[in-house]
Amino acid sequence: MVAFGNHDMESWYSPNGYGGNEARFTLPANGFDASSAPGAYSFVHGNVGVVSVDANDVSYEIPANKGYTGGKQTVWLDKRLTELRARTDVDFIVVFHHHCAFSTTSSHASEGGVREQWVPLYEKHQVDLVVNGHNHVYERTDPVVQDKAVRTLPIGGTHEPTRGGVVYVTAGAGGESVYSFPVADSYEGHEDAVDSVPTYWTGEDGKVTENVDWSRVRYTGYSFIRVDVAPAAPGRTTTLTVRALAATGAEVDRFTVSRKVRKAGHSH
């Protein structure tokens, strides 16, 4: 299941450049407009609701398709997150899109349009995990609210979304040449924690520098993430465990998201 990124806007396909993806992938046509925005859709797998959104629509950095949905995608995202959170058979909500809400690499760093349009919705609906690509590294944040870490989530730690804060993972080191960070890598077995990382986000007027406190794990080798979910009975705790694995198979990060299962009832 794919999210649409900047390299999926190919000028020989019109109107939005997505013909290559549409020829190769059959995605759920349950977004707000599958014909014009095929990268916006959702599905439920087990007790996890998964939502894909097309961040080309809100990107200041690479604005070829910026605003192409006229705000409809953001309205749909809010509505779909509301629907998923109301379902008694859905415990976790995972959102994925290409451009990073929170990343510190020297190449792209953070996308201001995602922060403006979507991060407030992730916080409002207590989204359990946000997965991004774009930056060719692995990076993971502490729980974030209004661009600040609200607590530390150490390697091996547990995040309880009901306490507030959203965890963001950049999982972009799957094969293309890797990027660099402005500070040292810090990962499992090789931790080099820093209180502040000098970086930037891209807004309407270009790059805006910032010093951030939320960059918890950084790894510049090739890697991917594995997510394992353990459902549980009503009243008990269900867990979503994220592991970042290097090309060698070595684990570079691990954390768990934990929620108490609500009382079973009618599902939508």
Side-chain angles (χ1 to χ4, degrees), residues 97-122:
H97 50 82
H98 187 68
H99 308 61
C100 298
F102 296 97
S103 184
T104 66
T105 70
S106 304
S107 299
H108 294 296
S110 304
E111 172 56 64
V114 170
R115 289 193 189 181
E116 288 177 11
Q117 298 292 320
W118 296 345
V119 164
L121 299 181
Y122 303 155

Side-chain angles (χ1 to χ4, degrees), residues 2-251:
V2 298
F4 287 24
N6 51 295
H7 291 289
D8 301 307
M9 297 182 291
E10 299 174 295
S11 58
W12 48 86
Y13 292 111
S14 62
N16 298 324
Y18 296 144
N21 267 11
E22 291 185 273
R24 290 166 172 81
F25 300 99
T26 301
L27 301 171
N30 60 3
F32 61 95
D33 187 346
S35 61
S36 68
Y41 60 89
S42 68
F43 60 93
V44 173
H45 184 69
N47 64 338
V48 183
V50 183
V51 183
S52 167
V53 276
D54 176 5
N56 292 318
D57 186 26
V58 298
S59 176
Y60 286 119
E61 183 199 16
I62 303 170
N65 273 350
K66 188 175 188 305
Y68 83 95
T69 74
K72 292 178 183 177
Q73 180 174 217
T74 299
V75 172
W76 171 82
L77 175 61
D78 190 14
K79 181 172 179 284
R80 185 53 49 90
L81 292 176
T82 300
E83 293 166 350
L84 287 170
R85 192 50 83 200
R87 286 178 57 155
T88 55
D89 60 336
V90 171
D91 298 308
F92 298 110
I93 297 176
V94 177
V95 178
F96 70 111
H97 50 82
H98 187 68
H99 308 61
C100 298
F102 296 97
S103 184
T104 66
T105 70
S106 304
S107 299
H108 294 296
S110 304
E111 172 56 64
V114 170
R115 289 193 189 181
E116 288 177 11
Q117 298 292 320
W118 296 345
V119 164
L121 299 181
Y122 303 155
E123 295 174 5
K124 170 185 174 183
H125 296 288
Q126 290 186 359
V127 167
D128 298 280
L129 175 66
V130 177
V131 181
N132 299 145
H134 199 41
N135 285 312
H136 302 172
V137 292
Y138 176 81
E139 187 170 18
R140 192 259 295 169
T141 72
D142 288 325
V144 174
V145 174
Q146 295 183 350
D147 303 350
K148 300 288 185 185
V150 291
R151 77 187 71 84
T152 298
L153 179 58
I155 294 170
T158 297
H159 169 51
E160 298 175 51
T162 55
R163 296 176 60 200
V166 180
V167 176
Y168 298 83
V169 168
T170 299
E176 189 51 271
S177 57
V178 294
Y179 295 165
S180 62
F181 290 109
V183 296
D185 282 16
S186 183
Y187 57 95
E188 188 172 335
H190 300 80
E191 293 186 50
D192 187 2
V194 293
D195 294 330
S196 180
V197 179
T199 182
Y200 67 91
W201 56 275
T202 303
E204 190 170 12
D205 298 320
K207 293 181 180 179
V208 180
T209 59
E210 62 178 351
N211 287 283
V212 304
D213 62 356
W214 38 253
S215 179
R216 180 54 47 193
V217 180
R218 296 173 300 278
Y219 180 71
T220 50
Y222 293 114
S223 62
F224 67 98
I225 65 170
R226 168 176 172 158
V227 181
D228 292 285
V229 179
R236 305 223 175 232
T237 298
T238 175
T239 58
L240 180 152
T241 300
V242 181
R243 299 171 65 206
L245 301 173
T248 61
E251 185 176 281

